[in-house]
Amino acid sequence: MELCPCGSDYDYTECCEPYHLEKALPATCEDLMRARYSAFVKKKIDFIANTHTPETTDFNIDEAREWSVSSNWKLLEIVDTDKGEENDTEGSVEFKAYYSDKNDQHYEHHEFSTFVKVDGKWLYKEGRIIGTETYRRETPKVGRNEPCPCGSGKKFKKCCGK
């Protein structure tokens, strides 16, 4: 018995493999997300390519194949999901995929993915990487040697910056 890489605790042949072999369709967008992760682990990049919406323009199959082959996939963690049940036409999954590279450098890929159901088949629409957004301060940054914004008359480093 070989456990499925998606983390379901089911045998791969009974979990994601039927999707990879096109013998079954994922019932929910979470099932598709798990199957896509397993496809990276199993190096089945054609499955990844075939589960994108037709409008997808930013997918590069060669880059995906290189990422799949050069990575040691560790774990898939589903953070949150709007599974997209049978009668739904849209759904989303937030997940974290843990992997390491050839130099044993460890990484976390944290993404919020959206899915649509087209002709009864769930497809990956787009993803937004979490943790890469530009941080914007609400107030200007105060330097160590600038006057403290509290109005004490002291330098920030000697007052509220301690």
Side-chain angles (χ1 to χ4, degrees):
M1 182 172 137
E2 176 189 1
L3 285 179
C4 192
C6 79
S8 66
D9 291 330
Y10 292 109
D11 187 76
Y12 171 67
T13 61
E14 297 171 1
C15 190
C16 290
E17 186 178 47
Y19 306 143
H20 296 163
L21 297 174
E22 298 182 6
K23 292 183 177 181
L25 292 175
T28 67
C29 61
E30 182 181 335
D31 292 342
L32 177 58
M33 181 66 251
R34 290 179 176 280
R36 286 171 58 87
Y37 173 81
S38 292
F40 272 104
V41 175
K42 296 289 190 176
K43 296 158 186 48
K44 298 189 177 295
I45 304 307
D46 288 339
F47 177 81
I48 301 291
N50 294 334
T51 56
H52 278 270
T53 59
E55 301 84 38
T56 302
T57 59
D58 61 347
F59 178 73
N60 182 309
I61 194 165
D62 294 326
E63 287 177 6
R65 185 170 284 112
E66 174 58 30
W67 189 27
S68 172
V69 169
S70 66
S71 298
N72 182 11
W73 300 92
K74 307 283 187 184
L75 174 72
L76 173 67
E77 175 188 344
I78 302 297
V79 176
D80 193 21
T81 184
D82 172 7
K83 290 186 180 185
E85 300 299 335
E86 187 175 337
N87 295 325
D88 293 341
T89 57
E90 295 182 359
S92 62
V93 179
E94 180 182 347
F95 70 94
K96 294 179 182 179
Y98 299 92
Y99 66 98
S100 60
D101 63 15
K102 294 176 184 176
N103 299 320
D104 204 33
Q105 184 75 29
H106 297 269
Y107 297 95
E108 173 188 293
H109 177 85
H110 189 176
E111 182 175 320
F112 180 82
S113 301
T114 56
F115 299 84
V116 293
K117 198 172 194 181
V118 178
D119 296 329
K121 182 179 177 181
W122 282 105
L123 297 172
Y124 175 86
K125 183 178 179 182
E126 62 187 353
R128 180 176 48 86
I129 306 299
I130 297 176
T132 59
E133 298 86 15
T134 302
Y135 176 75
R136 300 206 187 276
R137 298 178 189 279
E138 292 183 22
T139 58
K141 182 177 178 182
V142 179
R144 292 174 26 94
N145 291 317
E146 292 181 27
C148 191
C150 75
S152 68
K154 296 179 182 178
K155 288 185 177 183
F156 178 69
K157 69 181 176 184
K158 296 284 187 177
C159 189
C160 294
K162 274 187 175 180

